[in-house]
Amino acid sequence: MPMNDNFLGLKDKVVLVFGIANRKSVAFHVAKSLVEAGVDLICSVLLEEHAEVVRKYFPAAAVYLCDLSDESRIASLAERVRDDFGSIHGIVHSVAFANFADGLKPFHETSKRDFLQAVEISCFSLTSVAGHFKELMENDGAIVTISISTTRMAAENYGYMAPIKAALDSSVCFLAKSLGSLKGVRVNAVGASLLKTSASAGIPGYIEPLLFAEKATIRKKSLQTSEVADV
């Protein structure tokens, strides 16, 4: 059922969404909710195959390719969006990456290269995007990123991503202060719990805690990605 756009106040707002890869992506469900609320959607994706997903399901959306690990490409994207739209009202940052190609390792065996790559893409990219897009943001706009439900426990199968998400949460606080005092821009994180996404499928041993979470929650079923998107 479409949302009440009068309630959300999003009709005709321009929102940039980072992170759509496929129909299971959190960013995909966010984009769907935004479109239903009357938003003019802009999407930034990593690969052309991701752009094809956007064009298929959100044909009215503008779509750009951008590698968030490359600072120059973020700067270039900001210039293109400025040229095409002038300003935007919101940004959704739904991006994370960790290299588990060699399987799950004890935390103390985390490689520096893997850790710093994950920090760059999963955490610092939010600060970089905020910095390059701050002049494009309308006053009282909003930036939202996707975090996790808690960073206070050590989930072995999540590896080194929990400390990185903790850094992301801290970055949200500092960005909220710096952007809030500059233009009144709000910065928040949605603390999603375990979700069935293509990204989570790449985490070794992920299915076990997902099934446990279903049993542990009061309603005895896992959180749906669309529910996170609506938040």
Side-chain angles (χ1 to χ4, degrees), residues 98-213:
N99 179 22
F100 290 114
D102 295 331
L104 194 64
K105 299 178 180 179
F107 182 74
H108 61 269
E109 293 182 12
T110 301
S111 75
K112 178 179 179 180
R113 179 178 179 178
D114 287 347
F115 189 87
L116 294 182
Q117 181 187 39
V119 168
E120 184 175 46
I121 298 173
S122 307
C123 175
F124 183 73
S125 62
L126 175 66
T127 299
S128 181
V129 165
H132 286 290
F133 280 86
K134 67 180 184 300
E135 299 301 329
L136 280 70
M137 292 289 293
E138 291 281 349
N139 291 338
D140 299 322
I143 298 175
V144 178
T145 189
I146 307 300
S147 187
I148 59 176
S149 55
T150 180
T151 57
R152 294 181 176 274
M153 61 183 291
E156 291 184 359
N157 69 301
Y158 202 48
Y160 54 86
M161 276 301 293
I164 292 170
K165 287 291 189 177
L168 178 68
D169 285 353
S170 182
S171 298
V172 166
C173 296
F174 281 86
L175 287 172
K177 183 175 180 62
S178 60
L179 293 178
S181 60
L182 179 67
K183 302 186 72 172
V185 172
R186 295 154 293 158
V187 185
N188 287 283
V190 175
S193 67
L194 302 171
L195 300 173
K196 295 178 182 178
T197 65
S198 55
S200 65
I203 301 174
Y206 183 83
I207 189 65
E208 286 81 6
L210 176 66
L211 294 176
F212 175 78

Side-chain angles (χ1 to χ4, degrees), residues 4-19:
N4 183 338
D5 55 270
N6 292 324
F7 166 69
L8 293 173
L10 290 173
K11 185 173 176 57
D12 298 327
K13 302 292 187 182
V14 180
V15 179
L16 170 60
V17 175
F18 289 90

Side-chain angles (χ1 to χ4, degrees), residues 72-90:
S72 65
R73 294 192 180 187
I74 298 175
S76 177
L77 175 64
E79 291 177 3
R80 293 182 65 189
V81 172
R82 182 198 302 273
D83 291 342
D84 293 344
F85 292 89
S87 64
I88 60 176
H89 300 87

Side-chain angles (χ1 to χ4, degrees), residues 4 8 26 36 50 67-68 71 75 85 88 93 149 166 177 182 201-202 220 223 227 230:
N4 183 338
L8 293 173
V26 175
E36 290 174 350
H50 304 154
D67 182 350
L68 292 184
E71 189 87 13
F85 292 89
I88 60 176
H93 173 272
S149 55
K177 183 175 180 62
L182 179 67
K220 303 304 179 185
L223 187 67
E227 294 175 296
D230 287 345

Side-chain angles (χ1 to χ4, degrees), residues 23-107:
R23 292 182 64 191
K24 292 184 178 180
S25 301
V26 175
F28 178 91
H29 288 273
V30 171
K32 183 174 182 293
S33 295
L34 290 173
V35 168
E36 290 174 350
V39 159
D40 291 335
L41 182 66
I42 308 172
C43 295
S44 173
V45 297
L46 177 61
L47 303 172
E48 177 59 33
E49 64 189 72
H50 304 154
E52 292 174 1
V53 174
V54 174
R55 296 187 187 107
K56 178 178 180 180
Y57 292 100
F58 309 110
V63 57
Y64 304 91
L65 298 182
C66 182
D67 182 350
L68 292 184
S69 68
D70 188 331
E71 189 87 13
S72 65
R73 294 192 180 187
I74 298 175
S76 177
L77 175 64
E79 291 177 3
R80 293 182 65 189
V81 172
R82 182 198 302 273
D83 291 342
D84 293 344
F85 292 89
S87 64
I88 60 176
H89 300 87
I91 294 174
V92 177
H93 173 272
S94 182
V95 179
F97 175 80
N99 179 22
F100 290 114
D102 295 331
L104 194 64
K105 299 178 180 179
F107 182 74

